């Protein structure tokens, strides 16, 4: 690795670089949920929360939680752990409602 890249990303090894790349991918996954929600709302001309929003939230949240665990950041870990529970619960509620036939 070049020194400028190590300084820019605050990494000192290939392992750390791969985790930073993973962290960026996680953040992109998490951000994609807003794009999905925005596009769905624009198409419906109403505020819509598509199921894909919760899948992107859960996937991005779990990925960010893994990154936070690697970085050992307790604030980040707490925030992502709580969020992933909420995203999973929303998906559970959606599918429970569908199963009941509503």
């Amino acid at each position: 690795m070049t020194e400028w890249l190590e300084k820019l990303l605050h990494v000192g090894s290939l392992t750390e670089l791969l985790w930073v790349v993973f962290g960026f991918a996680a953040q992109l996954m998490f951000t994609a949920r807003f794009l999905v929600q925005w596009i769905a709302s624009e198409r419906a001309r109403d505020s819509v929360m598509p199921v894909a929003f919760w899948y992107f939230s859960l996937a991005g949240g779990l990925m960010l939680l893994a990154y936070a665990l690697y970085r050992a950041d307790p604030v980040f870990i707490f925030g992502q752990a709580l969020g992933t529970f909420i995203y999973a619960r929303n998906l559970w509620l959606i599918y429970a409602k569908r199963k009941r036939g509503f």
Side-chain angles (χ1 to χ4, degrees), residues 17 22 31 48 63 87:
L17 175 63
F22 180 82
T31 300
V48 175
M63 291 171 72
Y87 311 141

Side-chain angles (χ1 to χ4, degrees), residues 22-86:
F22 180 82
F24 277 118
Q27 190 60 55
L28 286 172
M29 176 71 70
F30 202 67
T31 300
R33 70 197 187 122
F34 291 116
L35 295 173
V36 166
Q37 192 275 330
W38 179 33
I39 291 167
S41 293
E42 288 297 328
R43 287 182 178 165
R45 297 275 185 227
D46 190 14
S47 183
V48 175
M49 194 66 63
V51 175
F53 175 89
W54 298 112
Y55 279 113
F56 276 107
S57 297
L58 184 59
L62 287 171
M63 291 171 72
L64 286 170
L65 177 59
Y67 181 72
L69 288 167
Y70 172 77
R71 302 294 280 187
D73 183 327
V75 174
F76 198 18
I77 291 168
F78 177 76
Q80 292 306 317
L82 181 60
T84 55
F85 172 77
I86 293 167

